Amino acid sequence: MILKQSEQALLKAADVITRGGVIAFRTDTFYGLGADPFNRQAVERIKSLKSREESKPILIVLSDYDQVHRFIDEMSPAFELLARAFWPGALTLIGRAQANVPDEITAGTKTVGVRLPNDDKVRALVRACGGALTATSANPSHAAPAGNAHSVQEYFGDAIDLIIDDGKATSEQPSTVVDATGDSPKLIREGVLSWAEIQRELG
């Protein structure tokens, strides 16, 4: 089922997520697969849909800054500095995970990547669904990221409970991913935000 993003669609999405379902939605980069990060079965379903390797963690998008404490045990100074400098924005920060974050999310790393998108509509959707959603890209592993709802449907058909259509993806690049678990942040993936810009902020 595809629904144009609207208040009614957000209510439907929230219902699907509450029931342990999987949605596809436009993130601040590409379309992503959304589920309750604390619902192990829903996260496993996403991994199965994508044929994703068990060793790969799944990142989380947040509706508001205060949601970060549900996932990150203790923010390092670097994590806090970068979050305050670049959030909301297309920067995924990896921190030490709270003990109750499922292994299906962390892939056994005891860390988790979180992002606060710089997009009011994305944050409104995530807020309606409880404040946090998985946001791994809505495509089978090794396939191109989906840039619109039609591409998601071509990839997955009826295997997803709901696709929220909010137009084309707003970026041709993924989020930048930085490991900020320790004192010296490490670049995991360069995307929308350049590593040079991050390094300038770090001084």
Side-chain angles (χ1 to χ4, degrees):
M1 178 192 300
I2 298 180
L3 291 178
K4 289 283 188 185
Q5 182 149 341
S6 63
E7 287 300 320
Q8 184 178 1
L10 297 195
L11 291 173
K12 177 66 176 173
D15 181 60
V16 170
I17 295 298
T18 300
R19 293 170 182 268
V22 174
I23 67 171
F25 64 107
R26 182 183 65 77
T27 74
D28 52 328
T29 55
F30 303 114
Y31 271 69
L33 294 178
D36 175 356
F38 294 99
N39 186 316
R40 293 173 182 269
Q41 287 181 314
V43 178
E44 276 297 337
R45 189 173 152 205
I46 284 177
K47 288 188 173 186
S48 177
L49 282 165
K50 286 177 63 76
S51 299
R52 189 177 175 89
E53 298 164 26
E54 289 297 323
S55 60
K56 285 191 173 182
I58 290 181
L59 66 87
I60 309 297
V61 287
L62 309 173
S63 62
D64 299 278
Y65 188 86
D66 60 8
Q67 293 288 326
V68 73
H69 302 290
R70 295 173 61 195
F71 296 91
I72 303 300
D73 181 29
E74 188 175 338
M75 288 187 280
S76 69
F79 187 111
E80 201 157 2
L81 186 153
L82 293 176
R84 297 205 177 278
F86 296 109
W87 281 2
L91 175 64
T92 299
L93 291 171
I94 298 172
R96 300 201 180 282
Q98 293 278 12
N100 64 332
V101 176
D103 287 343
E104 287 82 357
I105 292 291
T106 67
T109 62
K110 300 188 186 305
T111 63
V112 60
V114 293
R115 179 166 90 249
L116 182 65
N118 187 20
D119 188 307
D120 290 341
K121 292 177 78 175
V122 175
R123 292 202 307 273
L125 171 62
V126 177
R127 195 174 296 120
C129 293
L133 285 174
T134 62
T136 185
S137 57
N139 54 273
S141 292
H142 310 301
N148 56 58
H150 179 68
S151 294
V152 177
Q153 188 173 48
E154 285 191 331
Y155 279 143
F156 298 112
D158 294 334
I160 294 175
D161 301 304
L162 177 65
I163 300 171
I164 300 292
D165 183 357
D166 193 32
K168 290 182 179 178
T170 56
S171 173
E172 294 184 356
Q173 291 181 292
S175 68
T176 297
V177 181
V178 171
D179 183 342
T181 53
D183 294 332
S184 301
K186 299 181 181 70
L187 178 67
I188 303 300
R189 178 182 74 195
E190 189 165 25
V192 175
L193 190 63
S194 74
W195 180 232
E197 193 174 348
I198 293 168
Q199 287 179 306
R200 279 196 295 273
E201 190 64 37
L202 291 167

